[in-house]
Amino acid sequence: MEKSKNKKNVRVNYGLAQKQVLANAGVKITFLRSKILAFAMDSKKPFSFEDVFLALRDTGIHRATIFRNLSLFKDAQILREVDMRQDAMFYEIATKGHHHHVVCKICGCVESFDMCGLDNLVEEFIKNSKEFDKISEHSFEMFGVCKKCYKKK
Amino acid sequence: MEKSKNKKNVRVNYGLAQKQVLANAGVKITFLRSKILAFAMDSKKPFSFEDVFLALRDTGIHRATIFRNLSLFKDAQILREVDMRQDAMFYEIATKGHHHHVVCKICGCVESFDMCGLDNLVEEFIKNSKEFDKISEHSFEMFGVCKKCYKKK
DNA sequence: TGCCCAATGCGACCGAGTCGCATTTGGGAT
DNA sequence: ATCCCAAATGCGACTCGGTCGCATTGGGCA
Ligand SMILES: [Zn+2]
Ligand SMILES: [Zn+2]
Ligand SMILES: [Zn+2]
Ligand SMILES: [Zn+2]
């Protein structure tokens, strides 16, 4: 796979899909951004800074660059943050649509569900609220022990 | 107000309610623990390390002591952690029973609701889950802009 | 009252995330 | 293709929440 390090006359493959997404979001296309985005698009579950860092360590990418781009992608609505109750923040592709997770309290594995079913309940909360007229977002994360971890005990 | 610093023959008021709670949880009773717990019991909403530190700064309490005791109280089921999507972790009295919050995205103010109404939905998720048999906890946090902040714009 | 171990103070340390600055690079204009 | 400049990156210092090990203090009990 091509690397941007090769000094001159290099035709870098930025990836078609990633290029599309970045251009569409009005974000300048660079080698590292397309790499980070490619990783994000391939990932089957929410990922952390650490995951990106490990995946791209052979490019010599700097930590700050990853943080800056994750933050940029979040602002550009390319990624969204997911709170997994771990030390670090997790991310996932924002186009995946609203959904929720079940997280294993032991191994940290994640199962995603596209269903939500919370709109009625949110309405209920607003009706009873003294201080809020409108609720624009919600997070609903479930926690348990996955089948694999349960067997191991 | 009494301080434990006064050298000798000081009758320190540990607070009846706090003493009860600590003894009940099998936790040794000290001046600072009763102060932290008193603050926690008085607090109308989830509080952070910072809140405790400010409230007790006149006692000269050390940062590490607060962290250690918040952690201890969590393990002893006196407090529970609440994730408010801020930098720092928040806490609230664990006996307050299961409930949920609406958090203002601007000023960070919080409204609590004793209702849950998610048990059915959680059941639904378990039925559809491939990797989990049982969900032991869930978090459900809502986010919006409070009436006060909305007016200011 | 005095003893012993747990609680505290203290300061070094850690790791996630940020910032300012020097260097490099993407991409539009020529 | 080349030039050029703003924007992206590397770099390392810094901030801040939180932890740790060790020396000192003070609860609780005999
Ligand atoms: Zn597991
Ligand atoms: Zn939902
Ligand atoms: Zn507000
Ligand atoms: Zn609930």
Side-chain angles (χ1 to χ4, degrees):
Chain A
M1 184 178 284
E2 321 81 336
K3 314 237 298 226
S4 65
K5 286 184 172 181
N6 302 328
K7 277 288 167 278
K8 287 184 194 298
N9 292 27
V10 181
R11 185 168 302 275
V12 178
N13 175 12
Y14 281 139
L16 291 176
Q18 292 83 278
K19 206 166 172 177
Q20 200 75 2
V21 171
L22 292 171
N24 199 42
V27 169
K28 197 161 156 180
I29 298 160
T30 71
F31 176 75
L32 292 172
R33 283 181 185 169
S34 100
K35 285 291 180 191
I36 294 173
L37 186 53
F39 174 80
M41 288 164 70
D42 280 349
S43 181
K44 258 57 179 172
K45 54 173 198 169
F47 58 89
S48 65
F49 157 82
E50 199 63 22
D51 297 324
V52 180
F53 189 57
L54 291 176
L56 302 195
R57 67 186 172 296
D58 56 342
T59 66
I61 192 170
H62 195 271
R63 302 171 58 259
T65 301
I66 297 177
F67 282 119
R68 279 190 284 233
N69 281 320
L70 290 177
S71 177
L72 175 76
F73 288 177
K74 189 187 85 177
D75 293 346
Q77 313 253 47
I78 296 171
L79 296 179
R80 90 163 60 90
E81 290 184 338
V82 182
D83 185 347
M84 309 276 286
R85 280 197 188 176
Q86 324 267 118
D87 301 344
M89 184 54 69
F90 282 67
Y91 300 84
E92 68 183 0
I93 297 286
T95 53
K96 279 192 178 170
H98 181 79
H99 64 279
H100 298 293
H101 301 106
V102 187
V103 184
C104 175
K105 290 194 287 186
I106 295 176
C107 70
C109 73
V110 182
E111 189 173 359
S112 300
F113 295 96
D114 290 338
M115 61 192 267
C116 169
L118 282 162
D119 293 341
N120 295 343
L121 200 59
V122 168
E123 279 303 315
E124 200 70 20
F125 276 104
I126 297 173
K127 265 185 221 153
N128 294 330
S129 171
K130 292 181 183 62
E131 300 173 31
F132 290 80
D133 286 326
K134 186 162 164 297
I135 289 164
S136 55
E137 302 165 39
H138 66 260
S139 69
F140 175 48
E141 308 289 326
M142 290 161 281
F143 303 91
V145 176
C146 77
K147 291 179 183 175
K148 265 178 289 180
C149 287
Y150 189 79
K151 272 185 221 153
K152 280 180 195 162
K153 290 193 311 186
Chain B
M1 180 181 285
E2 322 80 337
K3 311 243 294 239
S4 63
K5 287 182 172 183
N6 301 328
K7 275 291 168 280
K8 285 185 193 303
N9 292 29
V10 181
R11 185 167 302 275
V12 178
N13 175 13
Y14 282 137
L16 292 176
Q18 290 82 278
K19 204 166 171 176
Q20 200 76 3
V21 172
L22 292 171
N24 199 41
V27 169
K28 197 160 156 181
I29 297 160
T30 72
F31 176 74
L32 291 171
R33 283 180 184 170
S34 98
K35 285 290 179 192
I36 294 172
L37 186 53
F39 174 81
M41 289 165 70
D42 280 350
S43 181
K44 259 49 179 179
K45 56 174 194 168
F47 58 91
S48 65
F49 158 82
E50 199 63 22
D51 298 323
V52 179
F53 189 58
L54 290 176
L56 302 195
R57 65 187 173 294
D58 57 342
T59 66
I61 192 171
H62 194 272
R63 293 165 18 83
T65 301
I66 297 176
F67 282 117
R68 279 190 285 233
N69 280 321
L70 289 177
S71 175
L72 174 76
F73 288 176
K74 189 188 86 176
D75 292 344
Q77 314 253 46
I78 296 171
L79 296 178
R80 89 164 61 93
E81 290 184 339
V82 182
D83 186 345
M84 310 277 285
R85 281 198 187 175
Q86 322 267 120
D87 301 343
M89 184 56 68
F90 282 67
Y91 299 84
E92 68 182 4
I93 296 285
T95 53
K96 278 192 177 168
H98 181 78
H99 64 280
H100 298 293
H101 302 106
V102 187
V103 184
C104 175
K105 289 194 285 185
I106 295 176
C107 71
C109 73
V110 182
E111 189 173 359
S112 299
F113 294 97
D114 290 338
M115 61 191 267
C116 170
L118 283 163
D119 292 341
N120 295 343
L121 200 59
V122 168
E123 278 303 315
E124 200 69 20
F125 276 103
I126 296 172
K127 264 184 221 153
N128 294 331
S129 171
K130 291 180 184 64
E131 300 174 31
F132 290 81
D133 287 327
K134 186 163 165 292
I135 290 164
S136 55
E137 302 166 39
H138 65 260
S139 68
F140 176 48
E141 308 286 327
M142 289 161 282
F143 304 91
V145 177
C146 77
K147 290 179 183 175
K148 263 179 289 179
C149 288
Y150 189 78
K151 272 186 222 158
K152 279 180 196 160
K153 290 193 310 185

